[in-house]
Each structure stands twice: as structure tokens, then as C-alpha cells.
Amino acid sequence: MNENIPLLSIRNLSTHFFVEEGVVKAVEDVSFDVAEGKTLAVVGESGCGKSVTALSVMGLVPESAGRVVDGQILFRGDDLLKKTESQMRRIRGNEIAMIFQEPMTSLNPVFTIGNQIVEAVKLHQGIKGEHAWSHAVEMLRKVGIADPARRVREYPHQMSGGMRQRVMIAMALCCWPSLLIADEPTTALDVTIQAQILELLRELQKQQNMSVMMITHDLGVAAENADDVAVVYASNIVETASVAAIFEEPLHPYTQGLLRSMPRLGQKMERLESIGGSVPNPLHFPQGCKFHPRCPIGVSDQRCRTQQPQLREVAPGRCAACFHAKGYGD
Amino acid sequence: MPAYIIRRLLYMIPIVFGVLLLTFLLFNVVGADQAVYRLAGNNPTPEILDDIRHELGYDKPLIFSIDSQFVTHVKKAVTFNFGKALDKEPIIDKLKNGVPYSLALTVPMFFGIVVTSVSLAILAAFYRGTWFDRIILLICVAGMSFPYLSYIIFGQYFIAYKYDLFQIYFSPQRSIWSNAALPILIGIVVGIGGNVRFYRTVMLDEINSGYIRTAFAKGLSTRVVLFKHLLKNAMIPIITNTVLTLPYLCLGSLLLESFFGIPGIGGITLDAIESRDFSVISTMTFIFSILFVIFNLISDVCYAFADPRISFD
Amino acid sequence: MNEDNINSFQRSSLWHDAFRRLRRRKFAMVCFWIVAGYFALAVFVYIAESIDPTMSAINWKEQLGQGMEYQRPSLCSVKTIFGTNFLGQSTLISTLYGVKTALAVAFAASVISIMIGVPLGAAAGYFGGVVDDIVVWIYSTLSNIPWIILVMAFAVVLNDDKIMGGKLSGEPGVYLAIGLTSWVGICRLIRGEIIKRKESEYVLAAKAVGCSNSRIIFRHLLPNVFHIIIINFSLRFVSFIHMEVIISFLGLGDANKPSWGKMISAASSELTRGIWWEMTAATMAIFVLSLALNIFGDALRDCLDPKLRMER
């Protein structure tokens, strides 16, 4: 595989929803790459468009409400947006798999978990009958479920939340995908379980040599698991960089704000800072830089209020979308 | 499971008792005089009235006696010995003759309605918000608004009389299917509207849930997702609702049977209503409600089979 | 602000919001005006009849043709737009009169079923225990008899009958039959809602300040489920109208006044002779009213309580 082509490369992606009150621009002109075998964390507040980006990659944006209006999603150099539905079906669950936030509702309550895993194996791997079931048992063992031969015949409601998320992971990985999209995989779980699941994901990623696009609102999760970070604010990417760089020196005021609102070891603080104001309504984004009403610099800057900064390379390997970022130029 | 069914059967007892009490109140207490006067004809003498009362058993004490009207009423129901209709034919014979015809009409109608409306509802839910969905919904509401009688009368007139595609009226020489085809068709058309609308709401509740997204993310085709994952979950409310549609099937069989002259239970009931034959109406009420209670039980058992989260205890 | 005020404030904003949303739905508003038009006609017929039953605009007995002669629909006079029936009486006026019959029966039946269903449901839900057991027993008994058979049975018995000294016939028999048998749905809904709400903070607060049970039910609980009653009312109304048609078709209604069911009954045998207009007039009158009511009722439910799933 050519080193220079990233596994997944999203270029100028825009996904809009058409509702009664107007057009919701859930994803606007978003570009980023996920490198082979690496983990990219997409970080942002809830409702900023992270999940819609993921659904756009999967081709699962609900047809009745929204669609991808512009851009390219290059997977191994092929544009996924140009594929037919049946071509996409061969990719979904096979080469690109996805796990979701709510393990409680993401599994079908009326089928055994074995049935649900086997379904994917049969579909993509062409393994039949007993072999598919033993593969399912094997996958369950791999994700750390005790007594998998018995568990495989149980229903989701007989399992705890953490176990269900393990089942989801087993289901996603059963066809050895090269890209895993994890949409807030640990948000709905207890803290101790969260750590176990993330640990498991890291381990499996190494074993199967896959890339992960991890969507999270938690910079801590990103710091521990990701190689690169893309920060999303109000449907736009505001900053991309390697994990080390972003924690070392965040360039965008929003990233800076996020970092300041994170508790840190060894630092004594009276209370955590938070970013003032709230996420803008996607129906009525502010003029200019979308962050300017909440930004300590932008709120008084004429240019920030009228012009929208484009994402631009500010240093080797990192980009930012802020007029005041170091290296942004004029 | 047997324990569950036995418990449910015990739970039927107060209901059946309630039904008997109600039919007793209606036909022996409130309606007694009406029946007597109807039979007596114009300007009856008190002697004739007393004779009829005696013949119908209305002269016995209402409740507090060993052979009171209520005791007889309950005894009839429990022993399934319902006595005779006004035309002296035993009611149980009337029932036995009518049941096959009624079943030939209602069973295909029932399955026709469920299969068509579930499929249409799935499609409408999947294409929710599009023109297809809106047109289906509008047709359903329009279909529900069109009067039942007009369906039957216009159907009979246009399809059978004018264009001669089906039999207009029952004739014993022909097979029951050629006799029942048009009423079945009309019954299905009438039943679809409300059902599609109801099932669509059920499907919409399910189609936005996480497991549907997961199934699509696995790469399953739309057909598999809708007819395997969605349908099995939606089955649960669907089963409950199909039981609720059964009374509407009774309505269907009542009017359809009488219009097309099919000698089923519905037709018998309507004849009884026309001739004010209270013992027949009372029996039919009892029989239909027993059937209804049993179907309720069946639906609950199916429910438990369809949903692994429900156990029988 | 005391809790009463907060309560009524929330309620008024619920209704305010709902009506604002409703007004934006043009189609639903058109349907509302159609329904309103029907009601206006019914009121007009009622008033005109009580002033002078032989008034020409509502005198359906008046014969336009000679004896058994049928008059086809024609525009030569208003009364013959829909033609005449086999007695030479104007179909238009019969249809018009049918509006009054149908709406009066459906309205009275709705009132009866609400008057029975709401208090019983509220009492069962609020008090629980034996009261609940008895109410549940009564309505499960009723709901286990197919509705159509039940209504028929009631209608037969209540037709031309002497009850408690009074004579009962015609319309009252029909709406009593429908009303007495159809309160189960609303009763069940209200019972469920009250059970859901009786542990809520505002009820506990009312209890804590020593409100009586009846005050809690009537001042605090019922106003909060009022929208459910309204939705149920608007959606049930259609089935009451259809029921009235079937009952009077079977000859269990008022034998002396025109109704849509009677028109259909008379016209069904005339259809083969090419007399299509009487049947069509009655059918269309029912169809337009039901369609408008259905669409408006649905819109009302969507605006007031989108989550509410109504039994049919």
C-alpha cells in the first residue's frame, strides 16, 4: 500500500438536513485524513456534527431528512459517495465497521447476540452454519466475554451495558475491517468499564492492524487513545494536529478553552474553567467565525465578526482555522 | 407455560360472568317487554301476553330462585345448550351450520388485511416523509372515511352487477370460494386503511431505534433490515392489535354476510336483530365474547414467544 | 405564584403552542372549517325545525314530483340538484336533515361516553384498590364483547322500549346505545394517565397542603389530561357517525326522520334501476365529513400530544 495515500481521506464534506424550519448544515466543508493503522480522534461538543460525519462515511445519513451535498470521501483512493448502494453494502460492516454510543439500544432485543454476529459473518465472509457460529464464539472470547459458548445464545437484555458494548465490538470486528468508526463508544458506560473497553479497543486495533476514527467529546479519551486529533466546532473543523502537539500548544481558542476545562493531574485549581456562552443553533450560525461570540479575542475583532477563517496549514502536519493562530498569516 | 395459561383461563371467569350478567340485564330485565309485545302482535289481550311471557320464561323470578331466569341463563351458557330460536330451530344447530361459512369469509379476510397492511406500513415507514408515504397515508384516511355500507353496496353494484366479475349473491351450487371472493375482497379493502395507519406509527417508533442503524451498518440489505430486524420487533404491538381488529372483522362478516346472502353467523345475527330474537342475539354476544377472550389469550402467548424479554411467569 | 397558577400557566402555554402549530397547517384548518360548516348546518336545521317544521328549506316531506316518479338531478331548482327519492322528496333536503341527525347522535353519544368514561377512569386510577378492580372488571367485560355486537344489542333493546316508566325511541335509543358502549377507550386512557401522574410533584404538593381528593382530581389532575379527552373526542366522533349510519340503516333508529343510514338503505335497492344519486349524496356527505374530521383530529393530536397512541 502506498504510504502517501491515507486509508480514509475526507475532502470538503458537507452534509445538510432539510427540516421544516430551514436547512441544518450539520457538516460544513470538513476535511481530514485517517492514516493506515492509526487512530484519529474527532473531538467536539455534542451536536457539532461529529456523528453526522461518521454516518456520512458509512452512507447511513437518514435519506428522508438529509444528504451529503458536497465533497469526497476517499477510502483507499475510491470515492465512497460515487458507489452504488449495493457496492456500499459490501463495504459496510466488512471493510468499514461502526460501533455506536448506546449499547442498550444498538443491539436488536429480539435476536440472540450470536444470531446478530453470525449474520454479518455469513454476509461478508461467506462462512456457513456451524463455522460462522464458532467464529462468533471466538470473537466473543476475544473481546473478553466469559463463557462465550453459552453467552452466544443469550439475548441482549440478559447482559450488562459493558458486556453489550463488548458484543458490539465483537460484531464490528468479526469481519476484520480495516477502518473502525467508534461513535462515543464509552459515553454511556461507567468509568471503570470505560477504561476496560478503551483498553480492549487499543489491543484489538494492534492485533488486527486497523485504523480507528474515534468520535468523542472527551479530550481525555482522545489523549489516551489517539494519534491525531481533529477538533470540530459548529459543523467545521477548527484544528487538526497530532495528539502531542495539540496538548502541548493548542492554536485555536476553542481548543484552548476545551483544554482549560479539563481537570489535570498535579495542578491545583479552585474550579474548572468553562467556555462561556453556548453552542450556536445550527439553523442560525453567527456571521464570520462561528466561534467569535464565545471567543476572548474574536468577540471584539472586526475581521472575526465578518469573515470566516478557512482551515489552513499553520505548521508542518497541523492546521487551524483562526486568524489569530500562530502561523496563520494574514 | 401451562401454569401461565391456567392462570389466564381463571382470569377469564369474571369476564365471562360479566358478559352473562350484561346480556341478562339487557335481554331479560330491560328488553323483556319489548320481546313480548313484538310477538304478541297488535292489540294483544293480557292472556296472550301472559302466555308469551310464560313461553319465554319471563314469568319466573329474576334472580333469587333455583329456576330463576338468571340461573337458567347461566346454565344455558355453561352447558352450551342455548335453547331454540323463534323459528324453533335449536340455536346450536344454527351456529354449527353457520360457522364454516363465516370462517371461509373471515379467515382469508384476516390474513389478507394483516399481510397487505403490514407490508404497506413497512414501506410507508421506510419512505417516511416522502410523497409515497404521504399518498399512502391520504389513501388510508380517505379509505377510513368512506362509509362501510357504501363500500359494500357500490362494490356489489359495480364489480359484481355491472362488470360481472364476481357472484352477486350466494348460491349453494357454487363453491364457497367463488361465493366469498368478492366479500373477502371488499373486507380487505375496508380493513386496510386503519391498519396501515396504526402499523405505520408502530414501525416509525421502531425504525429510528439504534438496532436498525446497527443492522444497516453491518451491510445488510434494506429488505433484510426491514423484514427481519424491524418486523420481528414490530410484531409485538402488531399481535396485540390484530386481536383488536377481530371485532371489526365481526362487523365485516355481519354486514357482508347479509348483503351477499352468505348463511354464516353474521347473517344469522342480523336476521335475529331484525326479528328481535333475543335468545339468538344473547347467544351470539356470549359466543363472540368467549372467542374474543380466547383470542386475547392466544395473542398474549404469541406475545411472549415474539419477545424474549417477556417470560411466562 | 402558587402551584395552581403554575399549573394553569403550563396548561395555557400548551394550548397556545398547539393552536399556533395547528394554524400553520393550512390543510388541517380547511378541514376544521368544513367540520364547522357541517355543525352550522346541523344547528340551522335544528333551529329551523323548532320554529316551523314545514319551512320549505328543511321540509323533506314535500313532494316535488308526482307519486312514484323519480326526478334525476337537475339544476332547474335548488331542491333537485341531487334529484329526488322514490317518493318524489328532495334528496338534498334529506341529506341536509341527515347532517343534523348524524351530528346530534354522535355529539350526544360522545358526551355520554365522556361523562361515564372520564370520572370512572379518574376514580379507578386515583383510588386504586377495590374501586380500580371493579372499574377494570366492568370495562374488560365490555371490551371483550365485539363493539359492533354490543352496540347492536343495546340498540335493539333500547329501540321502542319502555324503561323506568318513560318511553324511549328513535334518536335517544341510538345515542344511548353508542354512548353506553363506547366509554371504555377513554376510561382506560384516563386511568392510565392518572396513575402516571398521581405520584407527580404537583399532586404531592396539593396533598401536602391538605387538598381534598375531589379537589385534587378535578382541579389538578383532570385539567392536565384534558387534551387527551379532546383528542379522543375528535377521533371517536367519526366512528360514532359511521355507527349511527349503520344502526339507522338496520332500521334501529328513528323511523320518522331522514338519516343517512335510512337513505342508503332505501337507495341500495334502487341502484340496479340506475337511481344512483340518493346513494351518492348520502355517501359523499358522510365521506367529506369523516375525512375532514379524521384529518383535523390527527393534526390536533400531533399538535397536542404527538406521543399519544390512540386505540382505534
Side-chain angles (χ1 to χ4, degrees), chain A residues 100-169:
Chain A
F100 298 96
Q101 183 172 350
E102 313 90 0
M104 298 295 169
T105 56
S106 295
L107 288 167
N108 194 329
V110 300
F111 292 106
T112 60
I113 56 165
N115 194 325
Q116 295 182 57
I117 298 175
V118 164
E119 200 175 34
V121 176
K122 277 184 181 163
L123 186 69
H124 296 300
Q125 303 288 311
I127 308 177
K128 294 226 166 61
E130 275 311 300
H131 295 288
W133 278 88
S134 54
H135 180 61
V137 173
E138 192 47 46
M139 283 311 298
L140 288 181
R141 182 170 294 125
K142 236 178 168 178
V143 296
I145 285 181
D147 198 2
R150 183 174 60 85
R151 287 293 191 175
V152 77
R153 300 195 190 279
E154 284 187 358
Y155 288 95
H157 70 100
Q158 291 163 296
M159 308 189 143
S160 68
M163 292 248 272
R164 281 188 232 186
Q165 198 59 301
R166 284 171 193 268
V167 171
M168 278 300 289
I169 294 172

Side-chain angles (χ1 to χ4, degrees), chain C:
Chain C
M1 227 192 314
N2 66 23
E3 40 67 56
D4 250 29
N5 280 341
I6 297 174
N7 241 333
S8 68
F9 173 71
Q10 283 170 348
R11 281 200 299 274
S12 73
S13 80
L14 167 80
W15 287 95
H16 187 259
D17 270 10
F19 283 123
R20 193 173 44 80
R21 261 173 288 167
L22 201 57
R23 266 200 301 273
R24 253 199 276 153
R25 298 184 171 209
K26 292 281 174 296
F27 198 39
M29 287 318 284
V30 170
C31 291
F32 171 76
W33 288 113
I34 293 176
V35 175
Y38 268 90
F39 269 93
L41 277 181
V43 170
F44 163 75
V45 172
Y46 180 78
I47 293 174
E49 195 187 25
S50 59
I51 295 172
D52 176 14
T54 58
M55 192 184 283
S56 132
I58 57 149
N59 187 5
W60 50 272
K61 284 180 187 154
E62 184 193 347
Q63 293 191 346
L64 299 170
Q66 291 296 307
M68 297 291 285
E69 179 190 318
Y70 296 97
Q71 209 162 336
R72 295 192 162 264
S74 75
L75 289 170
C76 59
S77 110
V78 178
K79 288 185 178 178
T80 56
I81 286 177
F82 290 165
T84 67
N85 69 1
F86 69 99
L87 290 172
Q89 296 161 341
S90 164
T91 308
L92 177 70
I93 294 179
S94 298
T95 314
L96 195 65
Y97 202 93
V99 176
K100 185 222 143 195
T101 312
L103 287 184
V105 167
F107 191 80
S110 301
V111 170
I112 293 173
S113 83
I114 285 172
M115 296 293 268
I116 300 173
V118 172
L120 278 186
Y126 187 76
F127 294 111
V130 185
V131 181
D132 191 32
D133 287 344
I134 292 174
V135 172
V136 170
W137 174 62
I138 297 177
Y139 78 55
S140 9
T141 299
L142 283 181
S143 67
N144 268 297
I145 305 172
W147 192 45
I148 174 77
I149 307 268
L150 193 62
V151 181
M152 296 289 181
F154 269 80
V156 166
V157 170
L158 298 177
N159 185 249
D160 290 324
D161 202 3
K162 292 190 193 70
I163 295 173
M164 327 248 164
K167 182 141 166 57
L168 189 72
S169 70
E171 269 179 34
V174 180
Y175 59 67
L176 269 177
I178 301 178
L180 289 176
T181 51
S182 61
W183 53 271
V184 173
I186 182 78
C187 180
R188 195 180 272 165
L189 266 175
I190 295 290
R191 174 176 169 270
E193 286 294 318
I194 299 283
I195 288 177
K196 212 161 68 188
R197 285 158 199 264
K198 74 174 175 186
E199 301 297 333
S200 60
E201 283 79 5
Y202 63 83
V203 174
L204 295 179
K207 270 188 190 157
V209 298
C211 288
S212 68
N213 283 333
S214 67
R215 192 182 155 81
I216 291 177
I217 293 179
F218 287 105
R219 291 278 301 155
H220 297 277
L221 282 170
L222 282 183
N224 281 299
V225 297
F226 190 62
H227 64 283
I228 294 176
I229 302 176
I230 292 289
I231 296 168
N232 187 281
F233 182 88
S234 70
L235 291 179
R236 274 302 174 107
F237 209 83
V238 185
S239 58
F240 291 169
I241 289 171
H242 284 228
M243 210 61 236
E244 189 274 333
V245 171
I246 289 173
I247 290 177
S248 49
F249 171 83
L250 293 174
L252 297 171
D254 191 333
N256 303 316
K257 301 265 178 67
S259 73
W260 293 334
K262 267 175 64 191
M263 287 173 70
I264 290 179
S265 166
S268 63
S269 51
E270 308 290 324
L271 213 51
T272 46
R273 281 193 256 157
I275 314 298
W276 52 268
W277 49 88
E278 196 177 6
M279 184 72 203
T280 310
T283 303
M284 287 318 287
I286 302 167
F287 177 69
V288 171
L289 174 60
S290 315
L291 189 64
L293 265 171
N294 269 327
I295 292 174
F296 177 72
D298 277 356
L300 193 67
R301 177 196 46 201
D302 287 351
C303 293
L304 277 171
D305 192 349
K307 285 249 157 65
L308 194 68
R309 197 192 281 171
M310 200 66 71
E311 244 179 66
R312 280 169 306 124

Side-chain angles (χ1 to χ4, degrees), chain B residues 96-274:
Chain B
K96 275 184 197 152
N97 296 334
V99 164
Y101 292 105
S102 288
L103 286 182
L105 184 63
T106 43
V107 171
M109 209 155 90
F110 176 74
F111 285 106
I113 290 175
V114 172
V115 171
T116 353
S117 43
V118 166
S119 318
L120 277 178
I122 289 183
L123 290 178
F126 184 67
Y127 294 106
R128 61 195 174 283
T130 63
W131 280 107
F132 176 77
D133 180 32
R134 270 176 223 160
I135 286 170
I136 291 257
L137 265 188
L138 194 67
I139 292 176
C140 286
V141 177
M144 286 166 71
S145 307
F146 201 73
Y148 201 119
L149 290 163
S150 307
Y151 273 114
I152 302 179
I153 295 168
F154 279 129
Q156 198 174 25
Y157 176 65
F158 282 111
I159 302 177
Y161 177 76
K162 260 219 149 139
Y163 299 106
D164 203 20
L165 297 174
F166 291 98
Q167 301 305 330
I168 299 180
Y169 206 75
F170 179 81
S171 110
Q173 287 92 26
R174 281 188 293 264
S175 83
I176 179 66
W177 299 117
S178 89
N179 277 315
L182 182 58
I184 289 173
L185 195 71
I186 293 178
I188 291 176
V189 170
V190 175
I192 283 178
N195 282 296
V196 170
R197 237 161 58 110
F198 178 81
Y199 295 142
R200 181 181 162 274
T201 12
V202 170
M203 304 287 178
L204 278 185
D205 283 355
E206 298 289 335
I207 211 162
N208 291 320
S209 36
Y211 68 83
I212 294 290
R213 206 176 40 183
T214 310
F216 275 119
K218 267 191 259 182
L220 297 174
S221 67
T222 309
R223 193 174 49 85
V224 175
V225 175
L226 293 186
F227 285 90
K228 182 181 171 189
H229 287 258
L230 176 69
L231 190 56
K232 187 146 187 219
N233 277 278
M235 239 17 233
I236 296 155
I238 288 176
I239 288 172
T240 334
N241 186 63
T242 44
V243 173
L244 290 175
T245 60
L246 287 175
Y248 293 83
L249 283 183
C250 295
L251 164 80
S253 50
L254 266 159
L255 293 171
L256 283 170
E257 281 177 16
S258 103
F259 269 99
F260 287 92
I262 296 172
I265 299 186
I268 297 171
T269 312
L270 265 196
D271 288 347
I273 287 173
E274 221 141 90

Side-chain angles (χ1 to χ4, degrees), chain B residues 39 55-56 76 80-94 268 272 276-283:
Chain B
L39 282 179
E55 201 180 326
L56 295 177
K76 275 182 181 173
F80 278 84
N81 178 13
F82 300 105
K84 287 181 177 149
L86 286 182
D87 59 8
K88 306 291 178 231
E89 192 186 349
I91 296 175
I92 197 82
D93 287 352
K94 272 183 185 279
I268 297 171
R276 306 293 191 276
D277 190 339
F278 284 4
S279 50
V280 174
I281 306 176
S282 158
T283 307

